Amino acid sequence: MTAKYSLKKGELPMKKRVFMLFLLFALSLFTLTACVRLNINIGIDEDFTAYLSYTFDLDVSDIDDEYHAILSNAVNRFGWHYQEYLGFVVGVNTDSDIYTLTMRKAVANNTFEEAFAALRDMLTDEEITVFMYVDMVNQAFDREDRYKIAAALDIAQILRLSSIADLPEEIMSDLEETLKNCSGHITLSMPISELIDYTHDVEMLYSQAKMTVPLSYFEQTEFEFAAKVIYSKDGEMVSSLSELTDELARRQTFAYIGIAVAAAVLVIAVILKILGRRKENGF
């Protein structure tokens, strides 16, 4: 399974334009805050649930009380759109000096191959994705999946393609100031039995690998991750080094047995052929 998705230069599809209108609306209101942090979480968990989530943390500690209600209402409206129209599960907390908005979309699956396809669909859906480029490849073999995920996010480019030059100068100035005070990460978490390649820091925890990618607001953020998911004889995912070793040894044993059987068949065929020739020659 191979899928590539990218926007052509100077192009912004209608769905992504709708998404950006809401993002711009949110950013214009978020300029009331001293700091905005965006964390993007994508991946597949150990139960083969594919997910995509966005978490905004807004520091409102230095905001005048009169603006709290305005900002709280904007956050709730932003989350409501994602919940009602885009199918996200939304959580909002505006009871402290840090406002938090979490929007998560998840799809349950029975196999890794199904989960990989579901994740691909979310990351290439122009209505909900922030990625400008996605390249996902999955090759399924007998009790093994080899896969690669590569993606790129360019917030500055998205904003440029969104015709923000048409916005009033004071809003543009506020947006630029907001971006200077933004930070965040993209976190990719995937099931693995064997790690092949990665471009950023990776944390290993049993059968899951978590890669953390610092998010840049002024230049392109990109990453690539490749790994294998190996299944045991009963179809369960191999989740430890010992299980992986046992499974590879089992496969190697089967391979040796196959080679031995093939060699035996070849020897028998040769012997029978020799005996047949001797019989034809009267021996």
Side-chain angles (χ1 to χ4, degrees):
M1 180 187 300
T2 302
K4 284 190 176 182
Y5 157 81
S6 64
L7 294 182
K8 296 179 181 178
K9 185 176 181 181
E11 178 184 83
L12 196 65
M14 182 57 66
K15 287 185 177 181
K16 186 172 281 292
R17 287 177 184 172
V18 173
F19 171 85
M20 285 308 306
L21 285 177
F22 279 90
L23 181 57
L24 289 170
F25 170 74
L27 283 174
S28 65
L29 290 173
F30 291 171
T31 56
L32 292 171
T33 69
C35 175
V36 178
R37 182 176 181 85
L38 169 62
N39 287 326
I40 303 171
N41 290 277
I42 61 176
I44 300 171
D45 66 18
E46 61 274 10
D47 296 322
F48 300 137
T49 296
Y51 61 88
L52 164 65
S53 73
Y54 302 108
T55 300
F56 288 96
D57 291 317
L58 298 90
D59 184 351
V60 298
S61 57
D62 295 330
I63 304 302
D64 294 338
D65 291 341
E66 60 183 297
Y67 293 114
H68 280 206
I70 297 175
L71 189 57
S72 176
N73 183 57
V75 170
N76 278 280
R77 283 179 176 272
F78 192 55
W80 178 84
H81 173 80
Y82 271 78
Q83 178 173 285
E84 296 299 318
Y85 292 100
L86 301 177
F88 282 72
V89 175
V90 175
V92 180
N93 181 5
T94 57
D95 295 331
S96 68
D97 287 341
I98 303 294
Y99 284 7
T100 300
L101 169 63
T102 299
M103 306 177 296
R104 187 175 191 269
K105 190 166 189 175
V107 179
N109 304 277
N110 295 318
T111 66
F112 176 80
E113 190 171 7
E114 292 176 359
F116 196 84
L119 181 62
R120 174 204 63 199
D121 290 343
M122 285 190 283
L123 297 187
T124 58
D125 184 342
E126 295 163 358
E127 195 165 17
I128 64 175
T129 187
V130 295
F131 294 104
M132 301 289 287
Y133 167 84
V134 176
D135 181 12
M136 297 178 64
V137 179
N138 181 42
Q139 296 176 312
F141 300 91
D142 180 29
R143 297 203 303 274
E144 177 180 299
D145 281 88
R146 300 177 186 177
Y147 67 89
K148 181 193 77 170
I149 297 178
L153 165 61
D154 192 330
I155 295 178
Q157 175 70 356
I158 292 177
L159 293 177
R160 284 193 296 271
L161 295 179
S162 301
S163 300
I164 61 173
D166 297 334
L167 293 175
E169 185 177 343
E170 59 272 18
I171 295 181
M172 284 288 297
S173 178
D174 287 343
L175 285 175
E176 291 177 359
E177 198 62 34
T178 297
L179 293 178
K180 291 178 182 178
N181 294 319
C182 286
S183 63
H185 290 86
I186 301 172
T187 302
L188 172 70
S189 183
M190 297 289 290
I192 68 160
S193 296
E194 183 180 343
L195 187 60
I196 298 176
D197 191 22
Y198 56 95
T199 54
H200 293 79
D201 292 340
V202 173
E203 176 185 356
M204 306 291 296
L205 182 62
Y206 300 107
S207 62
Q208 289 288 120
K210 182 182 294 185
M211 185 170 71
T212 304
V213 183
L215 185 59
S216 172
Y217 287 82
F218 301 100
E219 58 186 21
Q220 181 165 282
T221 300
E222 56 187 22
F223 64 84
E224 186 169 323
F225 182 87
K228 294 181 184 180
V229 174
I230 298 177
Y231 306 93
S232 61
K233 190 176 182 180
D234 57 8
E236 294 295 324
M237 190 176 73
V238 176
S239 60
S240 68
L241 181 60
S242 59
E243 289 178 331
L244 177 59
T245 302
D246 292 343
E247 178 63 20
L248 292 176
R250 185 185 297 115
R251 295 187 188 188
Q252 191 175 47
T253 299
F254 287 149
Y256 287 154
I257 292 175
I259 293 173
V261 170
V265 171
L266 179 60
V267 169
I268 292 173
V270 171
I271 292 175
L272 291 176
K273 190 172 184 178
I274 292 175
L275 292 176
R277 286 181 178 177
R278 286 185 176 183
K279 188 174 182 180
E280 290 175 0
N281 295 330
F283 290 101

